[in-house]
Amino acid sequence: QGVQCLSTEAALAEHPDLFREVFTSAVAIDDNPLAALNAALWSGGSFVYVPPGVCVEAPLQAEIRADYGKVEPFERHLILADRGSEVTYIEGCSAPVYTPDELHVSAIEVVARPGARVRYIAIQNFSKKVDNLVTKRAVVQEGASVEWVDANLGARRMWKVPVADLVGPDASAEIIGFALAGKGQHIDVGGIVRHRAPRTRSR
């Protein structure tokens, strides 16, 4: 069906034009200090492109495992859903209990073109020695919809506030967040929707 699901490095090498369409289009380099850090140091991550009219029936899945002997902590995930397409992406985040003190700064960019539907599900269960700071942004065009679903259990400190920019008429967004925190944890979660066009809606 022409769906591309690659690492960011492979996507940049094999599909540079598609990659450049998404990279920094939702998360600007100067969006915030963490976004700037990720843009400067990004290494690894995933890239998804869904062609026009294609419905990906099975969810695409990837796991971020914070075993920092092998994985860089500055992933950048890019999703481009073309006109009238549909996709669900599931991101799992985990870390073994022996993970040393570590900083994890990732950025997620979603572009939903007219009539596209994207659901991004993140399940985070890092160890309590990881500071997990995530910038999540979606650009939602005319008649498109984006759903952010977040379940957060681990991490020592976490900041993750998904944002949806509704830039086209009839665009919509839904944000569902769930977090549990215990002793020694600081969790900052929420959601922001910016209604920038007529007849947009959110929940």
Side-chain angles (χ1 to χ4, degrees):
Q1 294 180 301
V3 175
Q4 301 294 322
C5 186
L6 308 164
S7 69
T8 47
E9 298 94 335
L12 180 57
E14 297 175 25
H15 306 282
D17 292 339
L18 283 175
F19 184 93
R20 291 188 181 101
E21 282 187 51
V22 187
F23 187 73
T24 71
S25 65
V27 178
I29 291 173
D30 59 355
D31 185 280
N32 60 65
L34 298 173
L37 182 63
N38 180 276
L41 300 175
W42 73 272
S43 52
S46 54
F47 175 88
V48 173
Y49 171 69
V50 185
V54 172
C55 177
V56 183
E57 294 183 3
L60 303 177
Q61 299 183 51
E63 171 133 0
I64 300 167
R65 183 175 171 83
D67 182 353
Y68 289 103
K70 300 176 181 178
V71 178
E72 295 295 332
F74 298 100
E75 298 95 1
R76 197 164 189 113
H77 305 286
L78 311 175
I79 295 180
L80 175 55
D82 220 324
R83 287 178 172 268
S85 64
E86 294 186 30
V87 64
T88 295
Y89 181 90
I90 301 174
E91 169 201 301
C93 303
S94 64
V97 294
Y98 53 81
T99 299
D101 287 357
E102 198 52 81
L103 176 66
H104 180 260
V105 179
S106 65
I108 299 160
E109 299 187 86
V110 174
V111 175
R113 286 184 172 163
R117 298 185 179 280
V118 178
R119 177 183 289 118
Y120 195 108
I121 301 171
I123 303 171
Q124 181 272 124
N125 191 25
F126 282 136
S127 80
K128 292 181 182 179
K129 294 184 178 181
V130 175
D131 293 339
N132 183 42
L133 309 172
V134 183
T135 303
K136 301 178 73 167
R137 303 283 187 270
V139 176
V140 191
Q141 298 179 6
E142 183 175 359
S145 68
V146 166
E147 184 178 344
W148 293 115
V149 181
D150 261 310
N152 300 290
L153 305 174
R156 173 174 52 193
R157 299 181 187 90
M158 193 187 73
W159 176 75
K160 189 197 289 185
V161 181
V163 175
D165 280 314
L166 307 182
V167 299
D170 300 305
S172 65
E174 184 168 341
I175 300 175
I176 300 170
F178 175 82
L180 291 176
K183 186 177 180 181
Q185 287 181 278
H186 180 93
I187 308 292
D188 188 354
V189 295
I192 296 171
V193 180
R194 301 185 178 121
H195 294 257
R196 301 185 185 273
R199 302 184 305 277
T200 52
R201 59 195 185 278
S202 65
R203 182 167 65 173

